[in-house]
Amino acid sequence: MEIILPVAISFYTFQAMSYTIDVYRGKLHSTRSFWDFFLAVLYFPHLVAGPIQRASSLLPQVTQPRTIRADQVWEGLHLIAWGYFKKVFIADNLSPIVNAAFASPEPSTAMTVLGVYAFTFQIYGDFSGYTDIARGIAKIMGFEFVLNFNLPYFATHPADFWRRWHISLSSWLRDYLYKPLGGSRGGAWLTYRNLMITMLLGGLWHGAAWNFVLWGFYHGAIQALHRMLEPGLRRLGLGFAALPSLWLGLRIGAMFLLTCYGWLLFRATSLDQIGQMTLTLLHPSGGLDGAGMAKVSWIIAPLVLVQLVQWRSGDLFFMRQAWLPKPLRVVVYALMLYLTVFLGGQPQSFVYFQF
């Protein structure tokens, strides 16, 4: 049976639920204005793909007078430009590579690795690009949206990844599902149970399909496993006391590889395909696709370079800082505009429009 659902039902359902739950808990005063309530739930920039705005964050901004400052406008324009760059140049250029890999009836090891590697950056560029555009539009109109992505591929362990990826969803699940279930207050096994329930429902939120269930189960499992192994990993880290950067790099690299396999589960179209691709990774044959890997690396190089500076400086808005010379800023924005307009891929709809 084909079921037709309203556009963005999952996003505005979560937003409306946060209002009801917070009012019930006494954490938020109810509003007497239906218009204010509807604006808080249905404010257009974030409606179709987030970030999920809680009533406790957005409703006060709706009810109070707003002022639009020059720095907000500039930050908003920066986010919009950066978001379009990630979507049009990064994600849309990677889309054909990903589609070819996941459409193959018998994917080789090289094709599987290339497809997963490309999709890892496609979904990030696509989803975080939309979020940046939404946050930028909101800033120009005097609203502040929550940060939804904070350098997720620099995460050092599974819980850290979910503090950096789709933050508005992971924090919603934490506060309205994981903690009411008991969180980590009932001992190790109850904590693992609560983690698994939360992540399974987080997977189902993306769609009623087995690959999303497996993706949620996988992320719940690696979080539980990391909690089990954390004391041993901490002791192992002591052996790298003289080389802390190496230990940090190893943790980031290991988490990145775990995340990549999770994206295989997320993008696969069937359980058979998950099985096929997993077997090709467990029993590799042949070499990697050097030309394909070079092409993907070239596409993502500007993104990686900028994010390295963001990570090292601890400032996501470093392009707006005085220490960066104005001529260099002009060159960077001009290059970003050129790559977006003239070297962008074939237009694709946003991945998260389907959720």
Side-chain angles (χ1 to χ4, degrees):
M1 182 171 63
E2 295 292 332
I3 300 174
I4 299 175
L5 296 174
V7 172
I9 183 172
S10 58
F11 284 93
Y12 66 72
T13 298
F14 271 30
Q15 284 153 201
M17 286 174 67
S18 77
Y19 173 83
T20 307
I21 296 169
D22 284 352
V23 169
Y24 176 77
R25 290 175 173 175
K27 294 183 177 180
L28 179 69
H29 291 294
S30 60
T31 177
R32 294 181 177 277
S33 170
F34 278 110
W35 293 115
D36 289 345
F37 170 76
F38 286 140
L39 179 56
V41 173
L42 301 175
Y43 184 46
F44 76 91
H46 66 108
L47 185 62
V48 182
I52 300 167
Q53 293 299 303
R54 300 191 194 185
S56 57
S57 170
L58 192 56
L59 189 58
Q61 298 184 61
V62 170
T63 57
Q64 295 170 7
R66 286 177 302 283
T67 56
I68 301 174
R69 305 185 309 273
D71 63 316
Q72 276 184 307
V73 174
W74 283 114
E75 285 183 2
L77 291 173
H78 166 81
L79 284 170
I80 292 169
W82 182 232
Y84 271 109
F85 171 78
K86 287 193 285 186
K87 165 59 179 165
V88 176
F89 180 74
I90 303 292
D92 287 353
N93 273 316
L94 293 175
S95 179
I97 300 171
V98 174
N99 292 341
F102 282 89
S104 174
E106 295 183 3
S108 64
T109 301
M111 183 173 286
T112 298
V113 171
L114 180 63
V116 172
Y117 176 51
F119 183 67
T120 297
F121 288 95
Q122 182 203 1
I123 193 168
Y124 175 68
D126 191 286
F127 191 17
S128 69
Y130 178 96
T131 295
D132 285 347
I133 294 167
R135 291 181 66 222
I137 293 171
K139 273 183 178 289
I140 290 173
M141 300 174 72
F143 289 91
E144 290 291 337
F145 281 178
V146 296
L147 181 67
N148 210 24
F149 293 90
N150 186 11
L151 309 176
Y153 295 152
F154 288 90
T156 56
H157 54 82
D160 187 31
F161 175 79
W162 284 104
R163 287 193 285 265
R164 296 169 176 271
W165 176 274
H166 203 350
I167 301 168
S168 62
L169 174 64
S170 60
S171 62
W172 198 102
L173 293 171
R174 179 197 65 207
D175 293 342
Y176 296 112
L177 183 58
Y178 177 69
K179 287 183 178 179
L181 284 170
S184 56
R185 298 189 300 273
W189 290 107
L190 284 177
T191 298
Y192 303 151
R193 182 206 67 178
N194 298 337
L195 275 172
M196 293 303 298
I197 292 173
T198 302
M199 295 312 301
L200 280 170
L201 290 175
L204 276 173
W205 177 83
H206 290 83
W210 283 113
N211 65 309
F212 296 131
V213 174
L214 278 175
W215 179 72
F217 176 85
Y218 172 77
H219 273 281
I222 62 174
Q223 285 199 61
L225 184 62
H226 177 264
R227 281 175 175 262
M228 292 179 191
L229 300 178
E230 194 168 13
L233 291 171
R234 197 176 293 118
R235 287 193 297 271
L236 181 62
L238 295 175
F240 289 85
L243 297 167
S245 297
L246 176 59
W247 179 235
L248 178 63
L250 289 172
R251 288 187 293 156
I252 291 173
M255 186 60 224
F256 178 74
L257 292 177
L258 288 172
T259 303
C260 287
Y261 182 72
W263 289 133
L264 185 157
L265 303 177
F266 189 93
R267 178 59 176 80
T269 55
S270 68
L271 294 180
D272 286 342
Q273 186 174 61
I274 290 173
Q276 276 187 315
M277 287 187 155
T278 301
L279 285 174
T280 65
L281 295 176
L282 292 175
H283 304 285
S285 60
L288 295 176
D289 181 353
M293 296 293 280
K295 182 178 180 180
V296 173
S297 298
W298 178 83
I299 292 170
I300 68 171
L303 172 69
V304 173
L305 179 61
V306 168
Q307 298 225 309
L308 278 169
V309 178
Q310 290 175 321
W311 180 59
R312 295 288 294 178
S313 66
D315 184 2
L316 297 179
F317 279 102
F318 77 91
M319 285 287 292
R320 303 286 310 136
Q321 300 304 321
W323 58 265
L324 194 67
K326 284 186 179 180
L328 181 57
R329 268 185 263 175
V330 172
V331 170
V332 171
Y333 280 120
L335 180 61
M336 188 190 305
L337 182 65
Y338 175 80
L339 292 174
T340 303
V341 175
F342 296 105
L343 296 180
Q346 284 293 111
Q348 307 287 327
S349 63
F350 286 94
V351 172
Y352 264 68
F353 276 14
Q354 63 186 293
F355 303 130

